[in-house]
Structure formats: structure tokens, C-alpha cells
Amino acid sequence: MITVLLAIAAYLIGSISFAVVVSKAYGLSDPRTYGSGNPGATNVLRSGNKGAAIWTLIGDAFKGWLAVWLTIHFADRLGVGDDTIALVAIAVFLGHLWPLFFRFQGGKGVATALGVLLALNVWLGLATLATWLIVAYAFRYSSLAALIASLFAPFYYGLLFGVEPQLFAVAAMSALLIWRHAKNIGNLMAGKESRIGSKGKGADAKKK
């Protein structure tokens, strides 16, 4: 029962869409109405407000980190193990993808996945983040950086820790993240993908 309750709590934490909350606080348009329509930090950046994008990134990463860190921190006291930690990791990620509080219209999960990885292991998270930064700097495509980093994340986990329940959670998140980027993959192949920092149509419209 405690495992189920922890998974539900993680899903609800993940359901807090910081892109929408932060945009509302800044008086910006709902990020689901412009650019890629994705409620995430990259799309919020298309509004031209870097502060809002940074807070969105921090918030989405923090919720992923918090749910997993709390589970790990209290695992012994609650009598749960690696299987529960893995389930919580997936649950908070699913909450971001399909948030209960925002009509199940969520983001693609890059920042939240990073938070989860940092909670599982700092070096795992930093290695994945470094991969994202290198690709993003070289090609200026956030989606391409996310796709490559997601492919490397399970490899990094396996290299560091071998086959554990959390490895399957990381692999599942990577697969879902790639699936959520299906449209971006098509745009990349067609040369139509927006680069980091490009402004989305309608992004400068204030919330009415």
C-alpha cells in the first residue's frame, strides 16, 4: 500500500506544470498556445522572457528530484526498496507528461527527467546534463540534445551501477521522452526544427 501511495504522491507532484504556473505569474501567454505548444522551459524561452524560462526549468527539474530524493531518503523508514524508488521515478515523470491539474496537457519531460536522474545519482545526472549541453551548444537544437542525452542516460546508469530496477525506470523515461519528441524528429529530418532562442509565433502576446 505504501508503494501505491508514494507513486500517487509522485504523480501529483509531477502534475504541477511550472511552465504554465510561471508564465501566469509573469503575465505571459500560456505556453501551450504558441511555438511548439509544449509547456516546457524551451518553449517558454520563445516568449523572450529568459527569467520565466529559467524558473520553469528549475521548477520542473526540482519536482522530479524532490519526489525521488524523498523516497530514497525515507526508504528504510518506510520499508521500501529499489522497486518503489523506480516506480516513483516513473510516476513523477508521467505526472509531468500527463498532468492531472492541467487537463493532461503536459511537457516532454526533459527537465523532470534530469531532476530524477540527479536524485538517483548526482554523477548520473551531471553526465546526462553534460551530454545535453555539448549537443545543444554544437547544434543549437534543444530537441536533438534531449534525444541524444536520453539515449545515453540508460547507458550511463548501466555503466555506473549495472542492471538494477532503476535502470529500467531510466530506460522507460528515455523511451517515453523519445516518443514525445516524434514531431521534433520529423522536423529535424525536414530541416524545420526551431533552434534554441528562436521566438515562437504568438509568444509575445500577453495573457488576456
Side-chain angles (χ1 to χ4, degrees):
M1 178 60 71
I2 188 64
T3 295
V4 174
L5 292 176
L6 288 172
I8 292 173
Y11 170 78
L12 294 176
I13 291 172
S15 289
I16 302 172
S17 180
F18 281 92
V20 178
V21 173
V22 171
S23 292
K24 185 175 182 180
Y26 273 82
L28 303 172
S29 299
D30 189 319
R32 294 170 294 183
T33 64
Y34 63 81
S36 66
N38 174 59
T42 300
N43 204 38
V44 172
L45 183 61
R46 294 189 177 104
S47 70
N49 194 313
K50 293 182 179 179
I54 291 172
W55 280 115
T56 298
L57 176 65
I58 292 172
D60 283 345
F62 176 74
K63 68 185 182 184
W65 175 87
L66 180 66
V68 176
W69 182 86
L70 285 174
T71 305
I72 293 173
H73 187 72
F74 292 103
D76 290 341
R77 193 176 305 178
L78 295 172
V80 299
D82 289 343
D83 290 344
T84 299
I85 295 169
L87 183 60
V88 165
I90 295 174
V92 70
F93 185 73
L94 292 176
H96 179 79
L97 267 55
W98 293 286
L100 177 66
F101 308 131
F102 296 92
R103 302 190 301 276
F104 302 102
Q105 298 175 10
K108 296 175 182 175
V110 177
T112 302
L114 174 61
V116 169
L117 296 178
L118 286 169
L120 290 174
N121 182 270
V122 173
W123 294 112
L124 171 66
L126 290 178
T128 307
L129 175 60
T131 302
W132 188 97
L133 289 172
I134 291 169
V135 177
Y137 179 80
F139 298 99
R140 306 298 296 173
Y141 289 115
S142 175
S143 56
L144 180 62
L147 288 165
I148 294 178
S150 67
L151 289 172
F152 272 89
F155 169 75
Y156 291 146
Y157 191 97
L159 189 65
L160 288 169
F161 308 109
V163 179
E164 295 181 348
Q166 289 94 325
L167 172 59
F168 298 104
V170 173
M173 286 193 300
S174 295
L176 284 168
L177 194 148
I178 292 170
W179 174 67
R180 293 285 281 191
H181 280 79
K183 183 178 179 180
N184 302 90
I185 294 171
N187 288 339
L188 285 166
M189 294 178 67
K192 298 178 181 179
E193 183 71 350
S194 298
R195 292 181 182 272
I196 295 173
S198 63
K199 199 167 186 179
K201 184 178 180 181
D204 54 353
K206 298 294 183 181
K207 175 173 62 69
K208 296 181 179 179

